[in-house]
Amino acid sequence: MTGTLPAVPISGTTRLYVVLGDPVAQVQSPALLNPIFAKLDLDAVLVPVHAKPECLEQVVAGLQCIGNLDGIFATVPHKAALAGLADRAGRMVEITGSANALRREADGSWYAENFDGTGFVAGLTEAGHDPKARRVALVGAGGAGSAIAAALLAAGADELSVCDPDTAKLNRLRSRLDAHWPGRTHTSAEPHLDGADIVVNATPLGLAPEDPLPFRPARVPAGGVVADIIMKPRETRLLREAAALGHPVHHGIHMLGGQLDSYRDFFGLG
Amino acid sequence: MTGTLPAVPISGTTRLYVVLGDPVAQVQSPALLNPIFAKLDLDAVLVPVHAKPECLEQVVAGLQCIGNLDGIFATVPHKAALAGLADRAGRMVEITGSANALRREADGSWYAENFDGTGFVAGLTEAGHDPKARRVALVGAGGAGSAIAAALLAAGADELSVCDPDTAKLNRLRSRLDAHWPGRTHTSAEPHLDGADIVVNATPLGLAPEDPLPFRPARVPAGGVVADIIMKPRETRLLREAAALGHPVHHGIHMLGGQLDSYRDFFGLG
């Protein structure tokens, strides 16, 4: 597979970016960002870093001491923990309690932001599914789910239904969302899809072929958009079954695509 | 400069190798090893890591927790410290007290070896300057110097003169060398070049253009080979002045070239 991927020239002067995950083999960001570095003529490379949750703090502490490392991205399951490893954080991190990007500031401190939600909404809108004034059901209140919830409300979603089996986590998220967008979020332990215009899977279910479905596509109202945040495989079982039922589907990769401009701004690239 | 370097395709499955240095911009190993990874069709990449000495332990502790990181190389000034950060070590590390390569073993522990000396001697011999039965003067008893000293004696150098202003360090090195090759090593604080067939700079002097010379080329006996371990710049002031005086010169890059086969064996590549 390596022959088909964009190639990066590396020397002693190359600046480093990493993406942390567990697992990490599925991450798409090196294949997406490295060509952008090359196109911008930046001497920089993004490499995957596999960190088990029990190792995360030690790995990040080490990375933050590396002089030529300028940025840290995180994917499942590290986004919440990463927020706690920055010195300062942006608004989406404060609302969601999770971060997917850390940058080194001029004073050497680390600043966290979360682009998952805004990236997802940018991709959704670009694909013709603007969530403004729509009813959205969101399955999963983890790192990505929390960020997407906040971004959907910020983008004007009329009513947001969030479900997650972890009630305590769900209640904490609702409190934070209510503080900014009062009364627009409803929560439940099980998916509540009635009347939804857009249904989003924000759980990791679908990464493995044997995973159960995050929700039953047959319960999505007719014409409802079914969106996934899983990037690999591109065609999850959820999206395949939803498409077979005639629903418009929205692929996970758009979430990352929608974030690329934000990353350029955040890291001051190009 | 990036456009002229060999390119590496990177995805989430890519295995990582790092080279630690302070500074690190001058390291040549990414440009040398990444094309070998590509040629062997290995999904692996070597990236530079800038670690200040006071950060080394924290950086290495973090790197050792990264699941997809298989190897750590070190250059100036980290080789001695790196030897202490492995669980076990090979013979050259025990003799020299310094390491330039760590690999992750099957049981998750870290094993250290030092290929600087054997790589230097392999490169020297290949260039037609076999040190067997020759008199060699070595300037610098740091990490690289210690490894080169041991490898020169192992390769049959008749008489070795090592100098370094740090007398305590020098005496420790001589004790370790004498334990394996008794009576063949002489030490001094200042370079002792009389009668030398080969003179080696194993100090970092020459990395910066304003550095003083490690020794005066005019004091090298006529016909004596002048060798440098500095790889960047390729033509150090030392080598330029020695060549102008008619001495055969031996460039630093050969030391790394001589190590490539050893690295392949050590890391089980290809």
Side-chain angles (χ1 to χ4, degrees):
Chain A
M1 96 178 285
T2 56
T4 65
L5 286 169
V8 185
I10 294 165
S11 78
T13 58
T14 301
R15 307 295 301 182
L16 302 181
Y17 293 80
V18 300
V19 50
L20 299 166
D22 178 36
V24 81
Q26 80 291 348
V27 297
Q28 298 295 300
S29 47
L32 279 167
L33 270 178
N34 284 322
I36 292 179
F37 289 151
K39 199 173 163 187
L40 296 172
D41 205 21
L42 292 173
D43 184 11
V45 65
L46 172 61
V47 296
V49 164
H50 182 207
K52 294 268 180 202
E54 63 270 25
C55 293
L56 185 71
E57 204 167 325
Q58 186 168 337
V59 168
V60 172
L63 293 171
Q64 289 177 333
C65 278
I66 294 176
N68 60 325
L69 191 139
D70 293 331
I72 299 172
F73 296 93
T75 186
V76 177
H78 296 317
K79 295 177 187 183
L82 193 69
L85 300 174
D87 301 299
R88 291 181 305 116
R91 177 180 177 232
M92 289 305 262
V93 175
E94 278 163 17
I95 296 174
T96 63
S98 74
N100 73 341
L102 260 62
R103 75 174 173 215
R104 187 196 301 272
E105 300 284 71
D107 64 0
S109 66
W110 289 84
Y111 181 85
E113 192 44 284
N114 189 323
F115 299 103
D116 280 341
T118 45
F120 176 82
V121 169
L124 196 65
T125 303
E126 203 167 310
H129 311 302
D130 190 337
K132 191 176 165 73
R134 309 299 290 276
R135 283 168 299 182
V136 184
L138 179 66
V139 179
S146 302
I148 289 170
L152 285 166
L153 292 169
D158 201 41
E159 195 181 310
L160 178 68
S161 160
V162 189
C163 78
D164 197 289
D166 185 337
T167 311
K169 184 164 70 176
L170 201 53
N171 289 338
R172 283 197 303 274
L173 175 61
R174 186 171 54 187
S175 302
R176 288 194 300 250
L177 295 173
D178 278 346
H180 291 263
W181 304 280
R184 283 161 63 191
T185 305
H186 307 275
T187 55
S188 56
E190 293 292 320
H192 181 78
L193 311 185
D194 298 352
D197 300 307
I198 302 169
V199 184
V200 183
N201 172 42
T203 77
L205 292 175
L207 274 178
E210 65 274 17
D211 282 343
L213 288 170
F215 57 87
R216 292 187 51 208
R219 293 186 44 218
V220 177
V225 174
V226 174
D228 209 332
I229 65 160
I230 304 289
M231 296 184 203
K232 195 175 182 175
R234 175 181 165 86
E235 301 294 340
T236 56
R237 184 179 147 209
L238 174 68
L239 294 187
R240 284 200 313 271
E241 295 196 8
L245 291 167
H247 292 285
V249 298
H250 184 74
H251 294 89
I253 196 71
H254 298 303
M255 182 166 138
L256 191 50
Q259 292 177 51
L260 294 180
D261 284 345
S262 307
Y263 289 148
R264 283 186 56 167
D265 291 344
F266 184 65
F267 288 109
L269 304 173
Chain B
M1 95 177 287
T2 57
T4 65
L5 285 168
V8 185
I10 294 167
S11 77
T13 58
T14 302
R15 308 294 301 182
L16 303 181
Y17 292 80
V18 300
V19 51
L20 300 166
D22 177 36
V24 81
Q26 80 291 350
V27 297
Q28 298 295 298
S29 46
L32 277 168
L33 270 177
N34 285 322
I36 292 179
F37 289 152
K39 199 173 164 189
L40 297 172
D41 205 21
L42 293 172
D43 184 11
V45 65
L46 172 62
V47 296
V49 164
H50 182 207
K52 293 268 180 203
E54 62 271 25
C55 292
L56 186 71
E57 204 167 326
Q58 187 169 335
V59 168
V60 172
L63 293 171
Q64 289 177 332
C65 279
I66 294 176
N68 60 326
L69 190 139
D70 294 329
I72 299 172
F73 296 91
T75 187
V76 177
H78 297 317
K79 294 177 188 185
L82 193 69
L85 300 174
D87 302 298
R88 291 180 306 117
R91 177 181 177 232
M92 288 306 262
V93 175
E94 279 163 17
I95 295 175
T96 63
S98 75
N100 73 341
L102 260 62
R103 73 175 175 216
R104 187 196 302 273
E105 300 285 72
D107 65 359
S109 66
W110 289 84
Y111 181 85
E113 193 43 285
N114 190 322
F115 298 103
D116 280 341
T118 46
F120 176 82
V121 169
L124 196 64
T125 303
E126 203 167 311
H129 310 302
D130 191 336
K132 192 176 166 70
R134 310 299 290 277
R135 284 169 297 182
V136 184
L138 179 65
V139 179
S146 300
I148 289 169
L152 285 166
L153 292 170
D158 200 41
E159 197 181 310
L160 179 68
S161 159
V162 189
C163 78
D164 198 289
D166 184 336
T167 310
K169 183 164 72 176
L170 200 53
N171 288 340
R172 284 196 303 274
L173 174 62
R174 186 171 55 187
S175 301
R176 288 193 300 251
L177 295 173
D178 278 346
H180 291 263
W181 302 282
R184 284 161 63 191
T185 306
H186 307 274
T187 55
S188 57
E190 292 293 319
H192 181 79
L193 311 184
D194 297 352
D197 301 306
I198 302 169
V199 184
V200 184
N201 172 42
T203 77
L205 293 174
L207 275 177
E210 67 273 19
D211 283 341
L213 288 170
F215 56 87
R216 291 187 52 208
R219 292 188 42 220
V220 178
V225 175
V226 174
D228 208 331
I229 66 161
I230 304 289
M231 297 184 203
K232 195 173 182 176
R234 175 181 165 86
E235 302 293 342
T236 56
R237 184 180 146 210
L238 174 68
L239 294 186
R240 284 199 314 272
E241 295 197 6
L245 290 168
H247 292 284
V249 297
H250 184 73
H251 293 89
I253 196 71
H254 297 302
M255 182 165 139
L256 191 50
Q259 292 178 50
L260 294 180
D261 284 345
S262 306
Y263 288 149
R264 283 184 58 167
D265 291 344
F266 184 66
F267 288 110
L269 304 173

